[in-house]
Amino acid sequence: MLDRSQIEQVLINLLKNASEACMEQAHPEVIITTHHDPEKQIFFLSVSDNGSGILPEVLDKIFVPFFTTKPTGSGIGLSLCKQIMNLHGGNISVNSEIGKGSCFTLKFLCR
């Protein structure tokens, strides 16, 4: 069973990060999309932005506790998101392109 407050925390963190990532854009954009695959019984929720993107050399480190690229970041947010998603039988993944933005996708198994 999903813990609503924990899933809310994941979404708040992703929305905060997306908002910060595109803050310097002339037309900042944060988009939430959902998709349900009834055959596989999977629900997807994505948070994407048109920010600067994540450098390829750090992309595999962003879910590691205490790793951050932000001057005032703690490195806790995304690692906590990953832990919460794992505890709920789901996962979190990211696609990012420098200069175009990032998309974080939450995958939930429907039971």
Side-chain angles (χ1 to χ4, degrees):
M1 180 162 196
L2 295 179
D3 181 325
R4 179 180 172 156
S5 65
Q6 287 185 346
I7 299 303
E8 285 175 356
Q9 187 60 49
V10 171
L11 292 173
I12 288 167
N13 188 65
L14 293 179
L15 289 168
K16 179 179 175 281
N17 286 354
S19 174
E20 290 173 359
C22 61
M23 198 178 311
E24 296 181 10
Q25 298 298 325
H27 302 285
E29 197 170 85
V30 176
I31 299 172
I32 299 171
T33 56
T34 61
H35 173 72
H36 179 243
D37 184 338
E39 287 183 20
K40 295 181 181 176
Q41 296 188 337
I42 299 173
F43 177 80
F44 299 93
L45 186 147
S46 296
V47 176
S48 54
D49 65 66
N50 66 340
S52 56
I54 302 168
L55 294 170
E57 57 267 23
V58 301
L59 205 53
D60 62 338
K61 299 174 186 160
I62 61 171
F63 295 109
V64 173
F66 306 111
F67 177 82
T68 185
T69 59
K70 297 178 186 179
T72 59
S74 65
I76 298 296
L78 288 175
S79 65
L80 185 59
C81 289
K82 183 176 179 97
Q83 182 181 14
I84 290 170
M85 289 305 297
N86 287 340
L87 288 171
H88 286 82
N91 67 29
I92 182 171
S93 59
V94 61
N95 288 311
S96 187
E97 191 172 340
I98 295 299
K100 293 193 176 183
S102 302
C103 178
F104 285 82
T105 300
L106 306 176
K107 177 180 166 183
F108 298 90
L109 300 177
C110 302
R111 295 178 190 147

